[in-house]
Amino acid sequence: MSETTARGESFSYQPLDTEQANALGCPAAQTFVKVKLKQIAASESPFADGRPWEPKPCVLPEKYQQFAERVRNFPVYDDDVWIITFPKCGTTWTQEMVWLIDHDLDFESATRESINTRSVYLEISGIGKNIPIDSVASAANKIRPRHIKSHLPLALLPKQLWTVKPKIIYVSRNPKDVAVSYWHHYQMIMGYRGPKENFYEALLDDQVIYCPQVQHVLDFWRLRDEDNVLFLTYEQMKRNLRKVLPTVCEFFGKRYSEQQLDILTHHLSFDEMKKNPATNNSDMTKRAMEMNGRKGDTFEFMRKGLVGDYKNELSPELIVRFDQYIEKELKESDFRFEQ
């Protein structure tokens, strides 16, 4: 597998031509590359602690090569709000929470206008084969203050994030629950028709889109003490969202009454969000399934939203494999995933 780097570009690209990766080819993404950030100047590093940083290559569809430099050089403003997660970590939930807190609890607009319009998915045009829009241009042209979501790892995000320093909210989730949710998503939204065991094996080998998964989290964990970064976990939000809300409000410099926060908590409950077309991504899910060969199948974008549901879907052997994978990846870190 040869690695290519165009002169003047920030990244190198290596075709991911393995049996595992090829088996994950599907209507939405058929071939994949490993995208790696080349050496960067100290002034462009996201870290101020001076410790070395060697970002790992990220697995993305081959199409992403057309967007990598545009994302890297994407203009960032100090009034931006960025929601960043690995896929299936409560991204939509967080987008809705953050948008409402930042927009004075405007429930009317939040019910009328899709979350995907209010909080733009930056790189989706480089991820899905059949996306009819240029999402990078859409995000750039959005009226400020912009809310932008991304699943990209830290190394592939716009370099101005670390100099302009807009607000960044990062959410992590236990990789075992991520695996189950991602499998259902990959099958129904991406159109994958292979065995789920193959998908899980590929996750364990960091060969699924947006992998490596644990490194994705650890890079942002290292930034958790930055004034413009708020690091949350899916589990703490599920355990007591009402308790998390004041922390998010303080991050945005907002103050709401206890009654207002109670109403917001209800609005953000799983059942309320699931029945709200603006947050359940109903139209997007239907279009994606039609484009990717799943027309007629039934699938809810917001599926279960549980903590620990992996126990009902992963075999005991796979649970052990994931535990070993997580332990190995966290060996040099003080971060631990919540259960």
Side-chain angles (χ1 to χ4, degrees):
M1 295 183 289
S2 62
E3 187 173 283
T4 61
T5 305
R7 179 174 294 181
E9 287 195 344
S10 306
F11 305 100
S12 62
Y13 307 96
Q14 182 180 25
L16 187 57
D17 189 20
T18 65
E19 184 177 346
Q20 256 184 349
N22 290 336
L24 291 183
C26 55
Q30 296 173 343
T31 53
F32 309 93
V33 293
K34 297 174 80 169
V35 184
K36 188 176 190 306
L37 179 66
K38 298 187 295 183
Q39 287 187 336
I40 59 173
S43 60
E44 293 181 346
S45 172
F47 305 111
D49 56 19
R51 289 161 45 202
W53 179 48
E54 182 62 33
K56 297 180 180 179
C58 176
V59 175
L60 290 167
E62 185 179 29
K63 179 184 178 183
Y64 186 74
Q65 294 174 91
Q66 304 169 31
F67 292 83
E69 292 296 325
R70 291 178 60 203
V71 170
R72 177 72 175 164
N73 295 308
F74 185 85
V76 174
Y77 302 106
D78 59 5
D79 58 355
D80 283 347
V81 175
W82 289 71
I83 298 95
I84 302 170
T85 71
F86 190 82
K88 314 313 295 180
C89 290
T91 320
T92 304
W93 191 21
T94 307
Q95 287 173 272
E96 184 74 352
M97 172 183 68
V98 166
W99 191 90
L100 281 164
I101 287 174
D102 194 36
H103 287 81
D104 301 322
L105 305 185
D106 183 0
F107 293 107
E108 182 180 348
S109 296
T111 303
R112 183 181 65 248
E113 190 177 0
S114 166
I115 187 62
N116 294 314
T117 303
R118 292 181 279 126
S119 189
V120 182
Y121 185 177
L122 177 65
E123 73 274 6
I124 183 61
S125 293
I127 305 301
K129 180 182 178 183
N130 301 312
I131 304 299
I133 62 168
D134 183 336
S135 57
V136 177
S138 295
N141 295 328
K142 186 168 176 58
I143 296 174
R144 295 169 58 187
R146 309 176 304 184
H147 278 228
I148 298 172
K149 126 183 173 181
S150 177
H151 293 311
L152 290 170
L154 186 145
L156 272 60
L157 286 165
K159 60 186 178 184
Q160 286 189 1
L161 282 177
W162 323 121
T163 54
V164 178
K165 295 184 178 295
K167 284 184 166 50
I168 297 172
I169 296 88
Y170 187 87
V171 185
S172 76
R173 188 183 187 186
N174 190 291
K176 290 174 285 189
D177 278 331
V178 169
V180 170
S181 185
Y182 205 177
W183 147 248
H184 286 283
H185 177 97
Y186 208 85
Q187 181 188 32
M188 302 306 294
I189 302 296
M190 302 290 286
Y192 174 68
R193 293 186 179 272
K196 64 181 177 181
E197 291 77 14
N198 288 12
F199 181 82
Y200 292 143
E201 289 291 338
L203 262 182
L204 286 165
D205 285 339
D206 282 330
Q207 294 198 26
V208 181
I209 295 172
Y210 288 116
C211 281
Q213 180 182 175
V214 175
Q215 188 64 47
H216 199 293
V217 178
L218 293 183
D219 280 344
F220 278 92
W221 178 247
R222 188 171 163 185
L223 290 171
R224 68 191 181 280
D225 294 328
E226 295 292 323
D227 290 341
N228 67 310
V229 176
L230 179 61
F231 189 104
L232 301 172
T233 73
Y234 184 89
E235 290 78 15
Q236 69 184 145
M237 291 169 65
K238 287 295 293 185
R239 188 164 54 244
N240 193 338
L241 180 63
R242 179 64 178 78
K243 186 177 180 180
V244 172
L245 291 180
T247 300
V248 183
C249 290
E250 182 179 359
F251 183 67
F252 281 94
K254 298 284 187 175
R255 294 180 63 87
Y256 298 110
S257 69
E258 296 296 310
Q259 182 180 18
Q260 286 176 309
L261 292 180
D262 289 341
I263 294 171
L264 177 58
T265 302
H266 177 71
H267 176 88
L268 293 171
S269 68
F270 184 83
D271 289 343
E272 288 298 308
M273 287 193 63
K274 187 168 184 175
K275 69 184 183 184
N276 179 2
T279 53
N280 196 24
N281 287 320
S282 303
D283 291 340
M284 181 277 290
T285 299
K286 181 180 178 181
R287 289 195 301 270
M289 291 174 67
E290 288 176 351
M291 287 190 296
N292 297 322
R294 289 290 184 179
K295 184 177 181 179
D297 288 344
T298 301
F299 179 70
E300 293 283 349
F301 186 85
M302 299 189 69
R303 200 176 56 86
K304 288 186 178 181
L306 300 175
V307 171
D309 189 47
Y310 70 86
K311 298 172 186 175
N312 300 316
E313 298 217 24
L314 296 180
S315 68
E317 293 78 15
L318 268 174
I319 291 174
V320 170
R321 295 273 308 284
F322 270 100
D323 284 339
Q324 292 171 340
Y325 162 79
I326 294 167
E327 182 180 6
K328 176 175 68 72
E329 293 296 311
L330 295 180
K331 188 175 181 180
E332 304 296 329
S333 174
D334 60 350
F335 175 78
R336 294 297 178 266
F337 288 102
E338 297 185 37
Q339 300 290 332

